Amino acid sequence: MVSTRFLLKRALLLVPVLFGVATLVFAILHLAPGDPARVIVGQRASQAQVEEVRRQLGLDQPLWRQYLQFLWDAARFDFGQSYSIKKGGTVRSVLIDRLPVTIELALYGQVAGIFIGIPLGIVSAVRQDSLTDHLTRIGALTGISVPIFWSGPLLILLFATYLDVFPTSGRIDSTLFLPDHWTLFGTELPLTGMVTVDTLLLGNVEAFLSAVHHLFLPALVIGIYSTALISRMMRSSMLEVVRQDYIRTARAKGQGAKITLMKHGFRNALIPVVTVIGIQFGTLLGGAVLTETVFGINGMGLTIVTAIGDSDYPVVQGTVLTFALLFTLVNLLVDVTYSYLDPRIQQ
Amino acid sequence: MSDAAVAGLRAGIRARVRLVGSAAAVGAALGVVAAGALAASSGDVEAGTRTAFALGALVLGFGVLGWSGSAMVGDSVETAQRYMATRTDWTERDSRRAMARLSGAGAGAMLAVVAVRTVLLG
């Protein structure tokens, strides 16, 4: 069991993380060139109009006052209204619309990384220095080294342009339309925003297949790095574990090689891999920014890029803080898993 | 709690306060210099203090994030480095101390800039 004290300690660390991110984002936005008031009223507006908008938005206040106000609002997860992404709409509504899209993409990337990377790492370790091991290592090294902004367009070029087997952008076929709710025992419930989940909830197989078809390339692009890193970590970890005395003892007592490996080796080898999975979830979220831009998927990544270009401060702040919150929560989950796998961690 | 434990706790707190406090004093001095230099170069006290405050916030944000990141995933990073055989001398403790100094400097600079602005512009 995971102790409450351990959990509480880890959860408390979320506060400085979010405070640090909030402060950093605030500082960067106010140091960056560009005036949101000018973006809102347009280039032809008079200086008086710009000043009026600045006053309305509170941008004429001393910076320390704006900072304290921002921290107070951020603590309540209220980032106000969007300047340009969704004019008049709240940042919270923008986040509710776009967050599921990014989570879906990152989850598929992560799942691909776990389900391909871990077996590859085990095989590579078990067959150390064989052809399989060499190929896996080369593949892992390539996967870690290749940036998404290069692999994305290259895969689009290969699979969408030349082979024409996958679409270049979008989340579902443009001829398919999904309702905004689904029904369970006569009760109308809102959809999740994750298109693969929603199509299943609606029981629309054609739409589900279309969603998977559209999601395949982006998930592959985002999952390459994840797969490569996990397989490399799994290999290193497994190699260290299989040399331990307890593995030798189990084998000496007559236990089969596969059972020894999976029963005694796998769980222990998994500990460092689990931590890496948590840490690199942040990389997946960062990857989502690039992947969504390359594939034109309207998630948090594309939103933040557009918001930065438009000096939409509230949306940038809300998006970055949401990313930070997600990242820290995933790491909290990893800590729990980690301490379950090795209870000594809680000490 | 025993006397020895209380004394140990006090010593620990004193050391931490000294670490952050000395950095804050340095940050405050740098903040005043930065605000003055920026105000002089732009010819606008408001713009100068705004930029100096944002720079202080940048350092504070970086420091706090680095500190909490080190505390949160420092062990994992050390483990990952060991497994990937990168052989660096990075440790969680050193990182936390460095980041605490940065946070102190950033906070000191921000407070000093607010004081300068209040004195000059009211």
Side-chain angles (χ1 to χ4, degrees), chain A residues 10 13-14 16-17 19-21 23-24 26-28 31 59-64 66-67 229 232-233 236-237 240 272 275-276 279 328 331 338, chain B residues 46 49-62 64-65 67-69 71-73 75-77 79-80 82-84 110 114 117-118:
Chain A
R10 305 305 287 184
L13 273 171
L14 297 182
V17 171
F19 170 72
V21 172
T23 305
L24 206 58
F26 179 87
I28 291 171
L31 284 170
L59 295 170
D60 60 333
Q61 296 286 320
L63 204 54
W64 63 268
Q66 289 183 46
Y67 174 64
L229 190 67
R232 191 171 148 82
M233 283 298 295
S236 305
S237 183
E240 192 171 302
T275 61
V276 164
I279 292 173
T328 45
N331 271 287
Y338 195 67
Chain B
E46 177 64 32
T49 51
R50 267 176 182 263
T51 310
F53 182 87
L55 284 171
L58 191 71
V59 177
L60 172 68
F62 184 78
V64 173
L65 193 59
W67 180 88
S68 44
M72 206 168 198
V73 294
D75 289 339
S76 312
V77 172
T79 310
R82 198 164 57 246
Y83 276 94
M84 296 184 101
M110 288 164 77
V114 171
R117 190 196 175 279
T118 309

Side-chain angles (χ1 to χ4, degrees), chain A residues 26-279:
Chain A
F26 179 87
I28 291 171
L29 283 178
H30 284 85
L31 284 170
D35 183 358
R38 175 62 71 184
V39 172
I40 291 169
V41 294
Q43 293 300 319
R44 290 184 182 174
S46 66
Q47 191 57 33
Q49 284 173 303
V50 174
E51 290 303 327
E52 177 56 24
V53 172
R54 286 180 64 79
R55 197 187 56 74
Q56 284 172 5
L57 298 176
L59 295 170
D60 60 333
Q61 296 286 320
L63 204 54
W64 63 268
R65 196 168 285 167
Q66 289 183 46
Y67 174 64
L68 292 179
Q69 183 64 47
F70 164 66
L71 287 182
W72 172 242
D73 290 341
R76 293 176 296 142
F77 221 72
D78 175 13
F79 300 98
Q81 292 191 332
S82 163
Y83 297 164
S84 63
I85 296 280
K86 192 177 180 181
K87 262 185 186 169
T90 60
V91 174
R92 206 180 279 169
S93 70
V94 174
L95 296 176
I96 290 170
D97 284 348
R98 314 279 168 94
L99 185 60
V101 180
T102 302
I103 289 182
E104 183 180 40
L105 187 62
L107 274 180
Y108 278 105
Q110 187 77 292
V111 166
I114 292 169
F115 284 96
I116 303 172
I118 289 179
L120 272 182
I122 295 174
V123 171
S124 192
V126 171
R127 298 184 183 167
Q128 194 188 0
D129 293 331
S130 68
L131 182 65
T132 316
D133 181 31
H134 291 313
L135 287 176
T136 309
R137 282 163 63 194
I138 291 169
L141 204 62
T142 312
I144 290 171
S145 314
V146 172
I148 286 174
F149 60 80
W150 186 79
S151 61
L154 209 72
L155 286 173
I156 288 178
L157 204 64
L158 178 67
F159 289 109
T161 309
Y162 292 141
L163 300 176
D164 198 22
V165 286
F166 290 109
T168 53
S169 62
R171 299 177 67 209
I172 194 165
D173 202 290
S174 56
T175 57
L176 296 166
F177 293 97
L178 300 179
D180 58 358
H181 64 270
W182 64 293
T183 311
L184 181 70
F185 302 123
T187 313
E188 285 188 359
L189 296 166
L191 289 173
T192 62
M194 298 184 195
V195 71
T196 49
V197 177
D198 290 344
T199 48
L200 283 178
L201 291 175
L202 292 164
N204 190 337
V205 178
E206 188 192 359
F208 172 73
L209 292 175
S210 171
V212 171
H213 191 219
H214 279 74
L215 200 64
F216 185 83
L217 268 190
L220 179 69
V221 168
I222 212 168
I224 286 176
Y225 179 82
S226 181
T227 307
L229 190 67
I230 290 172
S231 75
R232 191 171 148 82
M233 283 298 295
M234 193 69 211
R235 179 185 180 274
S236 305
S237 183
M238 204 70 181
L239 279 177
E240 192 171 302
V241 167
V242 293
R243 290 180 189 131
Q244 298 296 316
D245 289 343
Y246 60 84
I247 296 285
R248 200 175 299 122
T249 307
R251 291 286 290 129
K253 284 168 79 178
Q255 195 170 51
K258 280 182 185 167
I259 293 176
T260 308
L261 202 69
M262 296 316 290
K263 197 176 173 187
H264 301 290
F266 181 64
R267 181 167 165 166
N268 286 307
L270 209 56
I271 294 168
V273 179
V274 167
T275 61
V276 164
I277 288 171
I279 292 173

